[in-house]
Amino acid sequence: MGKAAALCVGSGSTGTRGLVSLLSAVPCLGCHELPAMSSEPGGRGGGGGGGGTAAGAPPAAPGSDTYKGWLFKWTNYLKGYQRRWFVLSNGLLSYYRTQAEMAHTCRGTINLSTAHIDTEDSCNIVLSNGGRTYHLKANSEVERQRWVTALELAKAKAIRMRNNQSDDSGDEEPASQSDKSELHGTLKTLSSKLEDLSTCNDLIAKHGAALQRSLSELENLKLPAESGEKIKAVNERATLFRITSNAMINACRDFLDLAETHSRKWQRALQYEREQRIRLEETIEQLAKQHNSLERACRGAPGLSASSTGITSTAKGSVQSAKGEASDEDEETEYFDAMEDAPAFITVTADPKQHRRSGSNLSGASEGHPEDWNLDDNVFESSNQSSYNESTCKDLLLFKKRRRTRIPNKPNYSLNLWSIMKNCIGKELSKIPMPVNFNEPLSMLQRLTEDLEYHELLDKAVKCESSTEQMCFVAAFSVSSYSTTVHRTAKPFNPLLGETYELDRLEEFGFRSLCEQVSHHPPAAAHHVYSKRGWTLWQEITIASKFRGKYLSIMPLGAIHLEFHSSGNHYVWRKVTSTVHNIIVGKLWIDQSGEIEIVNHKSKDKCQLKFTPYSYFSRDVPRKVTGVVSDADGKAHYVMSGTWDEKMECSKIVHSSHGSTSTEGKQKTVYQTLSPKVLWKKYPLPVNAENMYFFSDLALTLNEPEERVAPTDSRLRPDQRLMESGLWDEANVEKQRLEEKQRAVRRRREAEAVEALEEGKDYEGYIPLWFERKVDAVTGELICVYKGGYWEAKEKQDWSLCPDIF
């Protein structure tokens, strides 16, 4: 209070300069001009506490976009408060040691949109944002108040900008683009004024409380000497109160002026939208009645009775049979926006009773042939019930083969991070032994084999006569492989070089799968699957990862190939990025994001799938996947929609048209489709899955001990087996032994390479056992493909070629 009291309102005194500087902090909104400003003398170290920019240079007003000045920042107990140059811009408060550092070195930044602003005493400011806290000090209470005003206004503006960005929606389309832009601009301006009113209201409350305290102190004064200082403080706070009140009054005036200006225009726009809505309802109702009367006439015609009965219904949007109800108002026609960088599908129906609509200007009439959708139902219809029927068959087969249905419960071991960190001091990152506490009792090769959990989708795809129809099942299969990851936050065991994993389900499900770890640095696994039901799949996957502090991005590199024997259709696609969130603090959760392009290199059909990343502010369904299947000419045939953790649906396109232009200037394509058919639905997790690492029924059987497998098979890994049994301490010891053994083999190979180089000989390095490297004829990439011999060796039980890796 002593420093603040020194700034009186006397003419020609230091207090005059302080009050003029105070007035320069807040613009006089009554005249919309800034009063004259003068610089303050420097404080400790020759700089002002927070107002002056450079010597003799006036500060920017707190209400402007940028505010700069000197403040004292607490560093540590040895150095205490140190003078720093602070810059407030675009909702971010950054600081530098000197003004010259602004060009190259920022010492720290805090985001005000989520920050908490507090004042400890007359000169201190405390800013906290999550785990970051700044303790700041100004030279005087007046300068501190100027900074607090600037910070609060900047925080309000940052919050407003964030809300405006998150609330933008493209679902509504006004009559014209100019009207839409003008309406959005007006709404944003009004929102800005409301935020200004709210901020000014808060400031008035604070300043009013401070003024009341000063008046109370003034009443309790007894000594005349103190009276002068207290009166000066009252004058300063009364000035602040008056300035803020003026700001609020002017903001109110601007808000009322805008409201009055646009009120009539909004009423006209609202009336126009109501009329358009009523007209659209009447049009849809008339079309529904016409469609109903035409169908009745079609049923009554004797020459068409046979054909009409042949057009059976398999979905809500298809035509009812001749034995159906007299009214067909159950029919649904769905409309989807085409994929445009960020596809957003909107579903509406032509049913006047349900009144479901979208922003599309299409009518319910279709120029396509809905009966074509029914002709393909021999394949699509069976997929609707495949999830439960095949699940039941799978259970019977598992019972017949005596597959296990549970594993030992996961032990409740606490993870001591310090014991891990202290073992990492002074060691290379590649030599840090990570405990099994982070793992699940499966190897990466077994996780790769889990992609085949919904192999029946490929069995159905074999029966498709149309390549675009077959593409729908391939797309659903590519999405289904991610359904097992939604709860699986633990990492699989890294395979040793030369480690293999086989999954022989030839008698049960008609396929055989083989994986081999073909490279250690970088880690790469080759996978080959043959099905006697008419398809072959192969891939080589390399994992690249980036740790970004709060989350870990996992990017699978490599193409997946799928070929159907009878048709020769060859499909190629790549996986999307998986992101593990809350690595440091919080509960781990996984998200998938990116795009998948599936290409049929024989027919040139394509499917573009988009995995929408999760957003807290988005109105979309979490884990959303959308896509369009098109032929070689670019004509769209099917729309894919669903989520990567639950199900995928397919809708046949019967008509397409161009809609209005989007805000980015692109013209949208609107697809009119029949009702969707479920191609894939996730199997329910087994009972007690939360205590068994959230394994699915297939995952529970992957590490089940099996006879006659290769000695390099993942089932025989001792550390993995010990972990599955709940013996984590023993598993950690065994894991470290295996890793050290692998390092010894690598050092021996490196020595052999050096020796061969000295002798002038070629050294091939590690050669995969069951795979060989070839240039792929389709993609032109060098990949590992299966060269044969494994299943023959298993038949003979001749594993002499297998290395000793365990």
Side-chain angles (χ1 to χ4, degrees):
M1 182 64 75
K3 294 182 180 179
L7 300 173
C8 63
V9 195
S11 173
S13 65
T14 306
T16 303
R17 292 195 298 271
L19 184 56
V20 171
S21 179
L22 167 66
L23 292 174
S24 70
V26 181
C28 181
L29 299 183
C31 57
H32 298 280
E33 293 181 358
L34 288 175
M37 295 183 288
S38 62
S39 60
E40 290 185 2
R44 280 175 281 181
T53 54
S64 61
D65 292 337
T66 304
Y67 191 63
K68 305 175 183 178
W70 292 101
L71 285 174
F72 290 89
K73 179 182 180 295
W74 174 264
T75 55
N76 52 51
Y77 285 100
L78 294 178
K79 297 183 179 180
Y81 283 94
Q82 295 293 318
R83 183 168 170 265
R84 297 290 182 260
W85 179 255
F86 280 81
V87 178
L88 174 60
S89 178
N90 297 325
L92 300 176
L93 180 66
S94 307
Y95 75 92
Y96 310 84
R97 285 187 178 177
T98 62
Q99 298 182 42
E101 277 193 351
M102 290 180 60
H104 54 84
T105 305
C106 177
R107 300 293 174 175
T109 301
I110 191 167
N111 191 342
L112 294 178
S113 63
T114 56
H116 178 69
I117 304 173
D118 194 14
T119 53
E120 290 183 342
D121 53 30
S122 60
C123 297
N124 283 46
I125 306 172
V126 179
L127 293 177
S128 58
N129 184 353
R132 180 175 299 179
T133 302
Y134 288 173
H135 293 268
L136 310 177
K137 180 184 289 187
N139 269 349
S140 66
E141 184 178 0
V142 175
E143 293 177 355
R144 184 211 65 176
Q145 191 58 47
R146 291 168 58 192
W147 270 103
V148 169
T149 303
L151 291 171
E152 289 179 337
L153 289 174
K155 177 181 178 180
K157 184 176 180 180
I159 294 174
R160 182 167 63 247
M161 291 177 62
R162 183 184 66 183
N163 294 337
N164 288 341
Q165 292 175 358
S166 63
D167 291 340
D168 287 343
S169 173
D171 293 345
E172 300 85 15
E173 294 185 5
S176 66
Q177 187 63 28
S178 60
D179 291 344
K180 178 179 178 180
S181 301
E182 184 178 357
L183 183 60
H184 281 191
T186 304
L187 290 175
K188 288 183 179 180
T189 304
L190 291 177
S191 299
S192 174
K193 292 299 179 182
L194 275 175
E195 291 293 336
D196 289 343
L197 289 176
S198 178
T199 304
C200 292
N201 182 57
D202 295 339
L203 292 175
I204 286 177
K206 289 185 178 180
H207 298 327
L211 182 60
Q212 187 63 42
R213 287 197 302 270
S214 296
L215 292 175
S216 299
E217 293 172 355
L218 184 61
E219 292 176 355
N220 296 330
L221 287 179
K222 295 181 179 179
L223 298 176
E226 293 181 349
S227 178
E229 294 182 358
K230 296 297 181 180
I231 291 175
K232 294 174 186 177
V234 171
N235 287 334
E236 291 178 4
R237 289 173 176 172
T239 303
L240 280 174
F241 191 82
R242 180 180 58 81
I243 293 174
T244 309
S245 300
N246 287 337
M248 186 169 187
I249 291 172
N250 283 280
C252 291
R253 185 184 301 116
D254 293 341
F255 181 84
L256 291 176
D257 291 341
L258 281 172
E260 291 176 358
T261 302
H262 295 278
S263 176
R264 294 181 180 177
K265 183 177 180 180
W266 290 341
Q267 290 178 359
R268 291 196 301 269
L270 180 61
Q271 183 63 26
Y272 175 79
E273 292 296 331
R274 287 175 177 172
E275 293 173 357
Q276 288 292 96
R277 186 194 66 183
I278 295 173
R279 190 177 297 111
L280 181 61
E281 290 177 1
E282 293 173 352
T283 302
I284 292 176
E285 187 173 357
Q286 291 175 3
L287 289 172
K289 291 179 179 179
Q290 292 175 7
H291 187 271
N292 191 20
S293 61
L294 286 174
E295 261 202 73
R296 291 180 182 178
C298 179
R299 292 172 181 172
L304 298 176
S305 60
S307 61
S308 64
T309 55
I311 305 176
T312 59
S313 170
T314 58
K316 291 182 179 180
S318 58
V319 182
Q320 300 289 333
S321 65
K323 297 181 180 180
E325 299 287 339
S327 174
D328 285 328
E329 294 184 353
D330 293 347
E331 298 175 4
E332 294 181 359
T333 303
E334 301 193 359
Y335 297 85
F336 293 97
D337 281 344
M339 289 187 64
E340 295 286 352
D341 291 345
F345 293 97
I346 306 171
T347 305
V348 296
T349 71
D351 187 353
K353 291 184 177 181
Q354 296 181 5
H355 294 288
R356 293 166 60 193
R357 306 171 189 86
S358 72
S360 171
N361 57 359
L362 287 179
S363 66
S366 170
E367 298 178 6
H369 300 282
E371 58 269 18
D372 295 343
W373 186 234
N374 300 325
L375 295 177
D376 297 334
D377 282 345
N378 57 341
V379 177
F380 278 100
E381 178 65 16
S382 61
S383 67
N384 291 333
Q385 301 176 351
S386 62
S387 298
Y388 299 104
N389 293 344
E390 297 216 7
S391 178
T392 304
C393 296
K394 189 175 292 188
D395 291 339
L396 294 175
L397 288 169
L398 290 175
F399 179 78
K400 181 179 178 181
K401 293 292 182 178
R402 296 180 183 178
R403 303 284 181 193
R404 67 182 183 181
T405 57
R406 61 170 291 107
I407 60 175
N409 287 350
K410 177 182 178 181
N412 188 18
Y413 285 170
S414 61
L415 184 62
N416 190 346
L417 290 176
W418 169 243
S419 64
I420 300 172
M421 292 172 62
K422 68 181 182 181
N423 291 332
C424 301
I425 298 174
K427 293 186 178 180
E428 296 181 13
L429 187 62
S430 61
K431 296 182 179 180
I432 296 174
M434 298 304 293
V436 299
N437 304 56
F438 295 103
N439 289 25
E440 63 179 14
L442 288 179
S443 73
M444 191 63 198
L445 303 180
Q446 292 165 316
R447 285 295 298 269
L448 198 60
T449 308
E450 270 193 88
D451 290 354
L452 301 172
E453 181 157 11
Y454 299 95
H455 59 89
E456 65 271 7
L457 292 171
L458 302 183
D459 297 340
K460 289 186 177 66
V462 173
K463 304 175 184 177
C464 296
E465 297 180 359
S466 168
S467 60
T468 54
E469 178 185 316
Q470 189 177 72
M471 176 70 83
C472 296
F473 284 98
V474 175
F477 174 78
S478 68
V479 175
S480 68
S481 61
Y482 297 98
S483 63
T484 60
T485 66
V486 63
H487 299 297
R488 304 271 289 277
T489 55
K491 66 180 289 292
F493 279 79
N494 292 328
L496 305 174
L497 186 61
E499 185 176 335
T500 61
Y501 180 74
E502 67 161 75
L503 187 67
D504 191 353
R505 297 290 192 267
L506 196 63
E507 299 301 325
E508 299 173 54
F509 304 130
F511 70 85
R512 277 177 167 175
S513 169
L514 176 65
C515 292
E516 180 182 352
Q517 187 75 0
V518 295
S519 174
H520 188 64
H521 288 293
H527 186 202
H528 183 270
V529 188
Y530 167 79
S531 174
K532 65 180 181 181
R533 297 179 182 174
W535 53 271
T536 301
L537 182 145
W538 67 96
Q539 59 180 320
E540 180 185 357
I541 298 296
T542 302
I543 301 296
S545 61
K546 289 185 179 180
F547 179 63
R548 304 180 186 272
K550 292 183 179 180
Y551 62 91
L552 175 69
S553 296
I554 303 170
M555 295 152 287
L557 307 177
I560 304 173
H561 297 256
L562 173 65
E563 186 174 13
F564 292 94
H565 304 161
S566 58
S567 63
N569 289 330
H570 188 159
Y571 298 89
V572 179
W573 70 92
R574 301 174 190 272
K575 291 180 174 288
V576 296
T577 300
S578 301
T579 306
V580 184
H581 294 269
N582 294 341
I583 295 293
I584 304 299
V585 179
K587 183 179 180 181
L588 293 175
W589 61 280
I590 294 180
D591 192 22
Q592 314 290 344
S593 60
E595 295 184 2
I596 293 180
E597 183 183 57
I598 307 175
V599 181
N600 184 347
H601 285 272
K602 180 182 179 182
S603 64
K604 305 304 179 182
D605 298 338
K606 289 186 179 181
C607 176
Q608 297 279 352
L609 292 175
K610 181 176 178 61
F611 289 66
T612 305
Y614 175 79
S615 174
Y616 179 79
F617 302 102
S618 176
R619 297 188 181 97
D620 287 336
V621 177
R623 310 180 184 95
K624 180 180 178 182
V625 180
T626 53
V628 174
V629 176
S630 55
D631 58 19
D633 299 327
K635 180 182 178 182
H637 290 266
Y638 296 96
V639 169
M640 305 291 297
S641 60
T643 58
W644 55 263
D645 66 324
E646 283 296 333
K647 65 178 181 179
M648 284 298 293
E649 297 177 335
C650 175
S651 305
K652 184 178 180 65
I653 298 172
V654 294
H655 179 68
S656 63
S657 65
H658 294 291
S660 60
T661 305
S662 64
T663 55
E664 293 82 7
K666 298 181 180 180
Q667 193 174 33
K668 291 185 178 181
T669 303
V670 179
Y671 294 133
Q672 178 185 355
T673 72
L674 299 176
S675 293
K677 299 179 184 293
V678 178
L679 298 185
W680 161 73
K681 191 172 183 180
K682 181 185 177 182
Y683 299 141
L685 290 175
V687 180
N688 196 38
E690 63 277 5
N691 294 322
M692 297 187 295
Y693 308 91
F694 288 98
F695 282 178
S696 62
D697 288 325
L698 176 63
L700 289 174
T701 66
L702 292 179
N703 203 45
E704 184 178 7
E706 192 168 326
E707 298 178 354
R708 300 176 60 83
V709 297
T712 55
D713 197 271
S714 299
R715 299 176 180 88
L716 304 177
R717 282 192 64 154
D719 53 348
Q720 187 172 303
R721 182 65 60 192
L722 288 168
M723 183 197 174
E724 183 185 275
S725 302
L727 305 174
W728 284 17
D729 293 335
E730 294 83 347
N732 280 320
V733 174
E734 196 64 24
K735 181 175 181 290
Q736 191 169 356
R737 180 188 69 81
L738 292 177
E739 290 174 349
E740 188 56 41
K741 183 177 181 180
Q742 184 174 235
R743 293 190 190 100
V745 174
R746 186 182 63 193
R747 288 193 294 268
R748 190 188 70 222
R749 285 201 189 91
E750 291 173 351
E752 292 175 355
V754 172
E755 183 179 350
L757 182 63
E758 292 175 351
E759 296 177 359
K761 299 179 182 179
D762 293 333
Y763 184 75
E764 296 183 357
Y766 177 77
I767 301 176
L769 191 57
W770 310 110
F771 290 79
E772 61 181 348
R773 295 203 170 274
K774 288 185 178 180
V775 176
D776 183 70
V778 175
T779 62
E781 298 176 350
L782 186 65
I783 64 171
C784 275
V785 295
Y786 179 60
K787 64 181 179 181
Y790 179 86
W791 303 108
E792 292 78 6
K794 180 181 179 181
E795 184 68 25
K796 299 177 183 178
Q797 283 297 292
D798 180 11
W799 303 115
S800 56
L801 296 176
C802 295
D804 179 20
I805 60 175
F806 298 145

